[in-house]
Amino acid sequence: MEGGESREERFAEVFGRLAPAILIISLLLTVITASVLVPLPEFTTDLSAFAPENEAKSAEERMNLVMEDTPNRIYVHVTPNEEGANVLEIGALQQLHNDLESIDEKFGNGIISHINIASILQNILEERDNQSRTIQDFNEWDNLILAIINDDEECTDAIGNDQAIASATFAKDALLNTNFDYIHVCDWIVTKEGSSTPISSSTMWVIEIDGSLDSKERQNLAKSIREVLTENITSDSSTVLNYGVISDDLISNDINDTTLDNFTWLLMLAIIVVVFVLAVVFRSALMIAAPLLGLTAALVWTYGTITLLGRPFSILEVAVAPVVFGLGIDYAIHLQRGYEEARKHSNSAAHAWVRAFSILRVALTLAVVTTVSAFLASSLSPLPPLRTFGITLALGVVCAFIASTVTVGALHVVVEKTTGVKKRKPIDLSKFADLATNFQKRNTARILLVVVLLTTSSVFLAGTKLETSFELTDFLSDEDMPIMEVRGDMYESYDAAAWKSVTILIEPTEGKDSLSGERDMLRGLDMLDLRISTISGVVIPTNTDSQRPSYDGLYPILRDAIEADSSFGETFHLGIYDGRLDVGDGFVEGDLSAAVHSLLLNESIGEPLRGQSWSERTSMYVALTDDNNSIKYLKIRIDVIAETSEQTSVLAVEFEKQAEWIEDSGYIDADAHIGGDVMMIHSIFSGLVVSQVESTGWSLLVSILVLFILTRRLGQSLVVILPVGISGSWVVGSMAILGLNWNVLTIMITALTVGLGIDYSIHVWRSFESNRRSGHGVWESMKIMYQTTGTALIMSAGTTICGFLVLKLSPIPVIQDFGIVSSISVAFSLILALFVLPGLLAAEVTTSSEN
């Protein structure tokens, strides 16, 4: 004992001498790490940043070396600026075409193609008008219609032309408002009487941008296009159109901007809340300033280190600050209360601080180890941002621990050498300790019964009501966010609104350089065409006999080429038989590759909706070997509609089955992968579920292991961890009651509950055990625990809850949800640590004594 005290004395003397140096080192470290945070790092929420690495991603990277990258889409919701006006009036179409050309002139290098009604009409004029006029040369629909149809043509003449029907139906469903009316136009074509102007209250304009651009370049391009359309053009007094612009890149950009704009003031507000709570608890300027300065430094160390390591910041890192503050305040309050008690018996600030740490070191160290382990469990996540989030949280806890124990202590030593000790009256919660202890004596069995009932109910509610969701729009509020208003208007206006893409990637099996067996390959693609048309969610013409799904790839390209020019099919021994593409007489291996090579050299219009040439269209979906004699890669891009992450996952599973069919059917000797927006969202969606299960499981396992190593008693370890597990079940039950779902932040709440809750449980357990070893009985040990540790826990938990509740003021819904759920988690962890764990510990002592 004397040896221990002697070591403690020597350590205190060293700590007292080094205190100024510790503060200087802490300051230098803060300045260095702060320097890399100016300006503040940008946050990223790009979909590809969340997606895990997979085979499809690697395959697409290989293909993009010899093929055009799959473009990304920007959706423009076009409406008249006068309520009730017709967006298809000639004047409106002329402005739409002018604005398209203006966008092309400014940003043409990054744009692959456009799909809008004005450009489609212009493409038809270029193909069919003998006078080579543009849409600007017409003043009314009468002359425009006469320029693009022959005298003997009628609306019904398209019947039997599946390509024309599919294109027209796609345009109606995806590009024109659901109130689109054209029947009277057909009457006019026959009678030349009445109105020839079709009617629609809005139209969609799709801009496809270069897929090879990186995330930042795409976001900047989309922002510039939005600025030109919504600010420059719409502000022109002569304009007759309004533009609402949306894309995944714009949503990511707006989330990033919103996050960056609000991060600083949320952090400042959290600091103000912490100052207020510390003022109530300690009523001392030093007791407030020391932990505040220390934890602010810890936060700078954390974010600065992550920046130096080159880790990108996602929106998840916003949640690191309240966690670091919450846990750091917990450490600081325990140490400062211990320091105050030790100061009564020591004239040296250094001795008092070292004494306080000596008493608390086991509990604090164990809490830090288990909390860090719980957070590091997130590093196992398949999603890169969640891995970074877990590492950042773990680093933040370590920094908070160092700042609270070393920097804050040094600050006390240096300041009190100068100003001396200022006495204050501590908060007295002895009455609470008496009440809590008496309550435990009389009601332990009832408490445990209530806990069992609540836990069972929570698990049931969570299992039946909680769902997982991942959409970028989850990060934006429906209120006062222009981009969300555009999204809502689009979903209300079009049958096929803001469609997503699924990409099927087909490459040679390992060891082969090309896809062989062209006859079987074409028949396999024909079978795949039929299978795609049966998948719910694929964009398919409505109210027609045509069942051609909206997709592009080798099969529809060859079919369209043959329907446009039958001699093309004859040249390469291909034909349309009973509406299906197939090989003809004389077909030999190499004919398919030769047909593709011919199309790659053809610069005539091959895609009327986009105005692309056969060469441009084909190069996006087929790649030949260097000698042009064989097919090397195939891409197939399918348009689908999926408004929710659940619908997206259903589609992804369906297309995974198609990839399996391609590999197993025997028609195409190839490896098939599924990529595109839908698969990316599905992989993130699946990764969230895996992350939740793995992080929670590992957190609990590591916590139990650490406790067992320390206690050598499995039963006691399980007793200490039990309230933490119960707290997690209560939290998810509360989420179900409040109507909250699992999202990219709340998915981490069970691991966070373990990380935060284990800290409280360890403090209660260590205090109770320490009192027992000092010779106190069970109930007296419990009472002393409530007077000391219990008081500190109430103070620290109150501070942490207030810090998390600040997140409710964020304009970002997922951060609001995280703030609410985290506050609930801390509250439940405190309640269970103070009112359930003591009863369990008392019961465990009684049982051990009887045995």
Side-chain angles (χ1 to χ4, degrees), residues 226 245-246 250-251 254 476 481-487:
R226 178 171 62 179
V245 188
I246 188 172
L250 283 173
I251 292 173
D254 288 359
L476 295 175
M481 295 294 293
I483 199 165
M484 295 300 288
E485 293 177 11
V486 173
R487 180 177 181 268

Side-chain angles (χ1 to χ4, degrees), residues 670-829:
D671 292 329
H673 314 281
I674 306 297
D677 303 338
V678 166
M679 201 62 208
M680 189 183 299
I681 293 172
H682 173 64
S683 65
I684 297 170
F685 184 85
S686 302
L688 289 176
V689 177
V690 171
S691 299
Q692 199 267 344
V693 174
E694 287 186 347
S695 63
T696 304
W698 277 108
S699 300
L700 289 171
L701 183 61
V702 170
S703 298
I704 293 172
L705 182 62
V706 172
L707 287 169
F708 177 70
I709 291 172
L710 182 70
T711 63
R712 296 292 193 273
R713 292 163 63 185
L714 181 59
Q716 194 169 68
S717 300
L718 293 174
V719 166
V720 174
I721 203 71
L722 181 60
V724 180
I726 294 172
S727 177
S729 68
W730 286 14
V731 169
V732 296
S734 299
M735 287 176 60
I737 292 172
L738 293 173
L740 304 177
N741 287 326
W742 296 120
N743 58 44
V744 72
L745 269 177
T746 58
I747 204 79
M748 301 303 301
I749 197 61
T750 48
L752 282 170
T753 301
V754 175
L756 294 167
I758 194 67
D759 180 71
Y760 299 160
S761 290
I762 287 172
H763 279 299
V764 169
W765 164 61
R766 288 295 300 175
S767 178
F768 180 82
E769 286 291 297
S770 176
N771 296 332
R772 287 273 299 147
R773 284 196 298 270
S774 297
H776 297 290
V778 171
W779 302 113
E780 185 64 21
S781 296
M782 190 181 297
K783 180 179 177 180
I784 297 171
M785 180 276 295
Y786 280 127
Q787 289 175 337
T788 54
T789 302
T791 302
L793 286 179
I794 291 171
M795 295 172 182
S796 62
T799 309
T800 307
I801 289 170
C802 292
F804 277 123
L805 283 177
V806 167
L807 297 180
K808 186 69 178 72
L809 300 176
S810 170
I812 301 174
V814 293
I815 292 181
Q816 293 176 9
D817 293 349
F818 181 75
I820 293 170
V821 175
S822 297
S823 299
I824 293 171
S825 172
V826 174
F828 285 158
S829 296

Side-chain angles (χ1 to χ4, degrees), residues 631-672:
I631 294 174
K632 186 174 182 66
Y633 297 127
L634 292 176
K635 277 187 188 178
I636 301 170
R637 187 174 69 164
I638 305 103
D639 296 322
V640 299
I641 302 172
E643 294 187 24
T644 67
S645 48
E646 289 82 2
Q647 293 173 351
T648 299
S649 286
V650 170
L651 274 169
V653 170
E654 277 298 321
F655 278 101
E656 285 176 331
K657 293 177 182 177
Q658 307 312 313
E660 291 175 5
W661 178 85
I662 290 171
E663 294 180 346
D664 298 339
S665 65
Y667 287 107
I668 306 174
D669 183 17
D671 292 329

Side-chain angles (χ1 to χ4, degrees), residues 124 128 148-150 152-169 182 186 189 541 543-548 563:
I124 296 173
R128 307 196 69 173
I148 59 179
I149 67 170
N150 297 322
D152 58 347
E153 286 184 324
E154 299 180 7
C155 287
T156 55
D157 288 340
I159 296 174
N161 186 336
D162 283 346
Q163 181 184 0
I165 291 174
S167 297
T169 307
Y182 66 95
C186 292
I189 291 174
N543 302 320
T544 71
D545 293 332
S546 173
Q547 288 299 304
R548 286 189 176 181
E563 289 180 341

Side-chain angles (χ1 to χ4, degrees), residues 68-124:
E68 295 290 335
D69 290 66
T70 302
N72 295 80
R73 289 170 174 150
I74 299 173
Y75 301 93
V76 185
H77 179 53
V78 186
T79 55
N81 60 8
E82 292 184 10
E83 188 174 351
N86 180 14
V87 78
L88 298 181
E89 292 284 353
I90 286 292
L93 292 175
Q94 290 173 339
Q95 181 189 328
L96 185 59
H97 190 260
N98 281 337
D99 293 343
L100 182 152
E101 291 185 331
S102 175
I103 292 296
D104 252 348
E105 183 180 344
K106 289 182 173 69
F107 312 109
N109 290 337
I111 294 175
I112 299 298
S113 62
H114 298 268
I115 309 175
N116 78 17
I117 294 300
S119 65
I120 291 171
L121 288 171
Q122 182 60 45
N123 292 336
I124 296 173

